[in-house]
Amino acid sequence: MSERALALAGLVQALAQVRRIAETGQAHAATLATAIDSVFRFQAPSTAAVYGGAERVRDGLVLLRDYFESRGRDEQLPRLALSVLQLERRFAQDEDMMRRVREGLQAQTARAAQLGGTHPDVLSALGALYADTLSHLRPRVLVQGNPHYLGQPGVVAEVCAVLLAAVRSAMLWRQLGGSLWDLTLRRRALLEAVRAHLG
């Protein structure tokens, strides 16, 4: 359950950034880097390593703790998370789309290593990859925010790039044995795992 908690933290932390970008047009630089870098770590030796260390998803762990303790303040976040978990299930059943996404990520790996994952060119390419693939699956992930920012192509690309990272975490969650049932039937066990990570 400890590993699942980290994957779920990665998911909600990415989605919190999606919400922030959509509302303000700005991401938190370090948190954005954690999300984007995770999509390029194809063969990470552990769940923590996907994010560059468990401490890099601490904000996500705090969000999870607050949610499981019924103290969450963003009502949109759980809905977004549910949509992404459902989207990932559809994605995992589409082998052709999975191949296209994998090839698209591999095509950007060298550029991300050279320029950094959060470079505008990399974010634009990842956003386009999401728009060309996952955005066509149902359920669509509907992001609400400030129309002023959501009307800007660069902001939209950044939102889509981080959604791609959220799907990466959702896939990791499923690969670790996580399911929607865990969020209700194993809520207490997940909360204990989250608290253990937070110390």
Side-chain angles (χ1 to χ4, degrees), residues 86-102:
Q86 292 172 328
L87 175 68
E88 190 278 330
R89 295 303 301 270
R90 294 288 178 87
F91 175 57
Q93 295 166 2
D94 190 329
E95 292 185 8
D96 180 61
M97 186 175 289
M98 287 186 72
R99 176 186 55 77
R100 287 164 58 200
V101 170
R102 185 166 55 249

Side-chain angles (χ1 to χ4, degrees), residues 3 49 69 87 147 159 189:
E3 300 284 289
E69 292 178 350
L87 175 68
V159 164

Side-chain angles (χ1 to χ4, degrees), residues 85-154:
L85 288 169
Q86 292 172 328
L87 175 68
E88 190 278 330
R89 295 303 301 270
R90 294 288 178 87
F91 175 57
Q93 295 166 2
D94 190 329
E95 292 185 8
D96 180 61
M97 186 175 289
M98 287 186 72
R99 176 186 55 77
R100 287 164 58 200
V101 170
R102 185 166 55 249
E103 290 174 353
L105 290 174
Q106 289 169 341
Q108 293 301 317
T109 300
R111 192 184 341 188
Q114 179 185 5
L115 301 176
T118 59
H119 189 279
D121 290 351
V122 177
L123 291 175
S124 178
L126 294 181
L129 179 60
Y130 180 92
D132 291 342
T133 55
L134 285 145
S135 73
H136 295 287
L137 294 176
R138 297 294 181 271
R140 292 191 68 180
V141 179
L142 301 176
V143 177
Q144 297 179 348
N146 187 320
H148 171 72
Y149 296 115
L150 291 177
Q152 298 176 18

Side-chain angles (χ1 to χ4, degrees), residues 27-45:
H28 182 275
T31 310
L32 178 64
T34 296
I36 299 302
D37 290 349
S38 74
V39 304
F40 294 111
R41 294 195 178 106
F42 304 109
Q43 302 294 332

Side-chain angles (χ1 to χ4, degrees), residues 1-195:
M1 200 57 75
S2 176
E3 300 284 289
R4 291 185 206 175
L6 285 180
L8 201 57
L11 169 65
V12 298
Q13 182 168 294
L15 291 178
Q17 281 307 292
V18 166
R19 296 276 293 132
R20 174 176 171 150
I21 297 164
E23 290 286 353
T24 70
Q26 298 287 326
H28 182 275
T31 310
L32 178 64
T34 296
I36 299 302
D37 290 349
S38 74
V39 304
F40 294 111
R41 294 195 178 106
F42 304 109
Q43 302 294 332
S46 67
T47 304
V50 170
Y51 304 107
E55 70 281 356
R56 299 288 295 275
V57 291
R58 184 174 181 83
D59 288 351
L61 289 164
V62 170
L63 285 167
L64 275 183
R65 182 193 64 195
D66 289 350
Y67 170 72
F68 287 130
E69 292 178 350
S70 301
R71 291 190 288 143
R73 281 171 280 182
D74 188 345
E75 294 179 2
Q76 293 294 323
L77 203 54
R79 293 181 196 144
L80 266 182
L82 182 60
S83 292
V84 169
L85 288 169
Q86 292 172 328
L87 175 68
E88 190 278 330
R89 295 303 301 270
R90 294 288 178 87
F91 175 57
Q93 295 166 2
D94 190 329
E95 292 185 8
D96 180 61
M97 186 175 289
M98 287 186 72
R99 176 186 55 77
R100 287 164 58 200
V101 170
R102 185 166 55 249
E103 290 174 353
L105 290 174
Q106 289 169 341
Q108 293 301 317
T109 300
R111 192 184 341 188
Q114 179 185 5
L115 301 176
T118 59
H119 189 279
D121 290 351
V122 177
L123 291 175
S124 178
L126 294 181
L129 179 60
Y130 180 92
D132 291 342
T133 55
L134 285 145
S135 73
H136 295 287
L137 294 176
R138 297 294 181 271
R140 292 191 68 180
V141 179
L142 301 176
V143 177
Q144 297 179 348
N146 187 320
H148 171 72
Y149 296 115
L150 291 177
Q152 298 176 18
V155 172
V156 173
E158 197 166 316
V159 164
C160 289
V162 182
L163 282 175
L164 190 63
V167 172
R168 162 72 166 115
S169 286
M171 179 171 283
L172 183 61
W173 156 263
R174 181 179 51 78
Q175 290 169 339
L176 291 166
S179 73
L180 292 176
W181 290 109
D182 287 355
L183 302 179
T184 51
L185 300 181
R186 296 180 178 172
R187 188 181 180 114
R188 183 174 294 278
L190 269 173
L191 175 57
E192 291 305 318
V194 167
R195 286 174 173 161

